[in-house]
Amino acid sequence: MRDAVAPEPLPLWPFTGREDELRLVRRSSAGARRGLVVTGPPGRGKTRLVTEAVRGTDCARIAGIPQAHRMPFAAFAPLLPESVTLHRAVRLLSGVRTLLVDDAHLLDDSSAALVHQLAVRSDTRLLIVVTDGAPVPAAVSRLWTGELLPRLPLGPLPREETVRLVTVGAGRAPEPLTVNRLHRLADGDLRLLRELLGALRGHEDLTPVPGTDEWAWRGPVPLTPAVREHTAHLLTRTDPGERETLDRLAFAEPLPVELDGPTGPEHPMNPAGRPAGPAPLDLAALERLEDDGLVHVDGRGAVRLAHPLHGPVLRAAAGGLRARRLARAPEEYGPALDAEAAALTALIGQADVRTVPAPVGDWLVAEGVPVPAGYAALRARYARLRGEVREAAAWAREGLCTTASARSGPAEAEAEAEAEAEAEAEVEVGAGAAAEARAELALAEAQSPALASVRHPAHAPHDPYDAVRLGAPERAAGRLTGVFAAHADALTHADGPALDRAAGELERRGFLLFSAEAYAQAAAAHRDPGAARTARTRAVALARRCQGARTPALAALALGELTARQRQIVTLAATGLSNRQIAERLTLSIRTVGNHLYSAYTRLGASDRTALPRLTDPRPTGPRPAEFQEKQPA
């Protein structure tokens, strides 16, 4: 077991991803509203949310104190005299406009009763923070169960906001598969995420990604104090059957449940001394683990560990001999990957990419185990269809690295993978998993300006749906079905409401980039200015979830957000004119031109003028295989 070194301090994280919740909390403490209770698991950001909500206002603040249940009004000690009755305490606090009560689940009984009375009898507005899963005083829980105050359950931070946090002060950003891994492991706990990032700084398992300014993390999870705290209840299980079941799942989940099979870990061995097949799980131990919330059994009878952090920690904690006995040989992952590939292919055929049923592939990549190039190419294709263009490129690189390793051996694999990634991005003629992975890398990078090291030739669209995305639906007439045909028909007739409906259906099916493009087209088609603004807002929100994707439809959307003068200056700058030349042509000062360009960069998501030709060029950026030519009606 390898312990983590002491985490390096990270810069203060910005407040992000909670704008809607922030508005709700602020509204709850304004007007005639009486307040709000914010609940959620530990580390979810509850305290940060309410702190931001009351920043700059006249707000008193108290907090529950551990081990102070027998001290009357312990939490209110900063606001009340030493000896006070409940009635007098209510009167003394009646002049407090807003009271923030943090860790209300830790309040002593007297303080809990005082908070309840303030909610019932005073004009004080209350912001209450309660941690899920902890015992809560009855007087506090009755605040929302008795409908005195509304409750706001705080969900996990969206993945795209996690990306923003993990890149703060990092210099080089983590690549998408690393971000996914961190997001899964933290499972919404921002304190755990922060500690993992601190432990990874300077970690030996971090490697630069060829052709990018990103880093990748492969290998075991560092056992930081926060990781140990989160998994203490797991590592201290003493029942041999339970620990064996947990370890087997850690090395080979998911495993099937055989309800009529043996109830112990014994299983037959093959002549080589390895298990002849998956042994039946210990049902008695499994039931106990399920009761304690440590495992989950899905509707198909497959068992998984309940938390994404549990598997990596159990694997890291296993001794060498135990790990050798339980770990699968590389070839044994083939059937699981084949099953995942079949499931992904079926979902593409059904035009529904909302889910990603592929945990084995995620696990293997996280642990640094090479995955077949064909599987990686399919994952890249699936991610691209979901609008995750940077993730698509990352999966394609995984496939190319596997191919390079098989062809050149470990010593030359890294150099050859880098050469592959930086090569001219063209689709090779002929079949083969390496060609598929290389094509997917080109297609993903063609839509991601952040990966600008690769040059992309312009090609005519190969897929009829590409014609729709490029604004030429007449080229796809009669060649599409389902929601893709509906999109084409709506665009042909410049029907804004119909484009909105097509965009909504594309979003529902998981095609976020296609949905953003359809909403952008709807914004241009709507005659009603309000409907156009709504469509544009929705398009921008979806585009932000597509990992920096830039396509002609989104470029038009971005330019539409600029002022008339900004569009004029950006268009001239994209042709290669300098600030001085633009100023002379438009009779403006050079400083004014520079200010307009700076504002435009912010709105367009560009770092400098080198990205402007790509954002303003309406030509297609690359070929795509025919994804949707043979769809059944959706």
Side-chain angles (χ1 to χ4, degrees), residues 37 112-113 116-117 119 136-149:
V37 180
H116 189 274
Q117 287 300 306
V136 181
V140 173
S141 62
R142 282 200 297 271
L143 292 174
W144 66 88
T145 60
E147 300 183 354
L148 287 172
L149 297 177

Side-chain angles (χ1 to χ4, degrees), residues 225-276:
V227 170
R228 290 182 177 279
E229 179 184 347
H230 275 72
T231 56
H233 64 297
L234 190 77
L235 297 176
T236 55
R237 307 291 291 204
T238 57
D239 181 274
E242 293 178 6
R243 188 57 187 266
E244 175 73 10
T245 300
L246 289 170
D247 283 347
R248 288 186 57 200
L249 288 169
F251 281 93
E253 64 176 334
L255 289 174
V257 177
E258 298 182 17
L259 297 179
D260 55 351
T263 58
E266 295 80 8
H267 51 273
M269 308 294 285
N270 63 21
R274 296 185 62 86

Side-chain angles (χ1 to χ4, degrees), residues 159 162-163 166-167 170 172-186 193 196-197 200-201 203 205-209 212 214-219 221-222 362 365-368 390-391 394-395 398 547:
R159 180 195 177 279
T162 301
V163 174
V166 300
T167 56
R172 293 168 65 91
E175 51 87 42
L177 302 186
T178 296
V179 174
N180 289 349
R181 186 184 186 189
L182 287 166
H183 187 67
R184 285 195 304 269
L185 291 175
L193 176 65
L196 283 172
L197 278 173
L200 288 176
R201 287 195 164 192
H203 200 277
D205 290 329
L206 301 187
T207 57
V209 178
T212 75
E214 300 172 335
W215 55 267
W217 170 39
R218 304 290 186 265
V221 172
D362 292 336
V365 166
E367 295 291 323
R390 295 174 67 86
E391 185 170 332
W395 273 109
E398 290 294 326
Q547 302 181 355

Side-chain angles (χ1 to χ4, degrees), residues 15 217 368 440:
F15 180 79
W217 170 39
E440 288 296 337

Side-chain angles (χ1 to χ4, degrees), residues 207-212 397 400-423 438 441:
T207 57
V209 178
T212 75
R397 287 195 188 90
L400 293 176
C401 286
T402 300
T403 303
S405 297
R407 183 166 60 244
S408 305
E412 302 173 2
E414 182 176 349
E416 187 160 346
E418 182 171 358
E420 293 272 16
E422 295 181 345
R438 198 172 295 111
L441 178 61

Side-chain angles (χ1 to χ4, degrees), residues 99-112:
L99 177 66
L100 193 163
V101 183
D102 201 2
D103 290 334
H105 54 286
L106 296 177
L107 290 177
D108 58 274
D109 291 341
S110 299
S111 295

